[in-house]
Amino acid sequence: MSDVSQIVIHIGSFDFPIHQSILVWLVICVVMAIVACIAGKKIENADPAKAPTGIVYWSEELYNLCLYVIKGNLKEQTVHYLPMFGTIMVGMLLANLVGLIGFQNPTSNVSFNATLALMFFLMIQTHGITKHGLGARLKELTEPMWLLTPLNIIGELALPISLTMRLFGNILAGSIISLLIYTLIKSIAPWGYLGLTLTPFIHMYFDIFSGVIQTYIFFTLGTYFLGQQVVPDEE
């Protein structure tokens, strides 16, 4: 698949190109679904009196990791949103790390990131309207004074744009820099082969460290603003 930039589906006179990044995401989703089914069966049959091992252990670790990222923002609403956000979080983490095996990161596709960011934006607005009503939600945009309404609207629209471009820019930049370094190493061969000792550190930062950090930031920011709408106000 790494040699396939896209596939084109022909339906009559229409052509629908599907980019490699989307194909990789579909593969990730299928693999996650299969692993989740296997893990579910293992967890059902696991003995609670014994320490978890294998896929049961890793499932618990992923559960705790996702819980750690969103619980501080969603508080008592965490259990309600954990299945959805946990699944997407693990999927995004894999999407950020898939570059380690030579495939294009789905998160380097701006449309992919925009879809996830738009999901957060619509959830925030929907819950805001549901919580207090449309009138109260619109009134929030005029606070603390009506002269700031345009800035408040820009602030609301800035969230999906910020989430999209931050993730897109960091992941794409890492891919481009890695490609440039590989090109440089190849162009100065045979001495360039000595540079291959540097590539593990390159991937350690751009694929692992940066990928994990960007996933954390994306869901921390998204759930923070969502939590403002779904978490009951403290007395």
Side-chain angles (χ1 to χ4, degrees):
M1 185 181 295
S2 59
D3 295 328
V4 179
S5 60
Q6 66 179 17
I7 63 173
V8 180
I9 299 176
H10 303 282
I11 301 179
S13 59
F14 296 96
D15 295 335
F16 297 93
I18 302 178
H19 198 267
Q20 181 192 145
S21 59
I22 303 303
L23 295 176
V24 172
W25 175 247
L26 291 176
V27 172
I28 290 175
C29 290
V30 171
V31 172
M32 285 181 59
I34 295 173
V35 173
C37 290
I38 296 174
K41 293 295 183 181
K42 293 286 186 180
I43 293 173
E44 287 180 0
N45 299 325
D47 185 353
K50 297 181 180 180
T53 58
I55 194 171
V56 177
Y57 170 80
W58 287 108
S59 297
E60 290 187 3
E61 289 299 311
L62 285 175
Y63 174 86
N64 292 329
L65 175 63
C66 296
L67 198 66
Y68 169 79
V69 173
I70 69 176
K71 186 176 182 180
N73 294 327
L74 299 180
K75 296 181 171 59
E76 62 269 21
Q77 297 294 323
T78 300
V79 175
H80 178 71
Y81 292 97
L82 185 59
M84 180 181 68
F85 287 152
T87 302
I88 300 176
M89 195 184 308
V90 173
M92 180 181 289
L93 182 60
L94 293 175
N96 288 340
L97 297 177
V98 76
L100 289 170
I101 56 176
F103 295 111
Q104 181 177 2
N105 304 88
T107 43
S108 66
N109 187 325
V110 68
S111 62
F112 174 87
N113 302 334
T115 300
L116 295 179
L118 184 61
M119 174 197 70
F120 266 116
F121 176 75
L122 293 177
M123 289 182 66
I124 292 169
Q125 302 307 319
T126 300
H127 283 292
I129 294 172
T130 303
K131 184 177 181 181
H132 299 297
L134 179 59
R137 180 58 178 158
L138 293 175
K139 185 179 178 181
E140 289 181 4
L141 299 177
T142 65
E143 297 175 349
M145 61 179 65
W146 66 270
L147 289 175
L148 297 178
T149 301
L151 293 179
N152 290 334
I153 294 175
I154 293 174
E156 293 290 331
L157 296 176
L159 175 63
I161 297 175
S162 174
L163 289 176
T164 299
M165 300 313 296
R166 179 184 288 106
L167 181 60
F168 169 72
N170 281 278
I171 299 301
L172 182 62
S175 300
I176 293 175
I177 292 175
S178 298
L179 178 61
L180 290 175
I181 293 176
Y182 274 115
T183 302
L184 176 62
I185 291 174
K186 183 179 179 180
S187 66
I188 59 177
W191 297 105
Y193 292 112
L194 298 176
L196 293 176
T197 57
L198 299 176
T199 56
F201 299 98
I202 296 171
H203 287 291
M204 187 180 297
Y205 177 80
F206 289 113
D207 288 319
I208 301 178
F209 178 77
S210 181
V212 172
I213 290 298
Q214 292 307 316
T215 302
Y216 175 79
I217 293 174
F218 188 94
F219 281 92
T220 298
L221 289 177
T223 55
Y224 170 78
F225 289 100
L226 180 62
Q228 292 183 325
Q229 302 301 330
V230 302
V231 175
D233 298 327
E234 297 182 357
E235 298 294 338

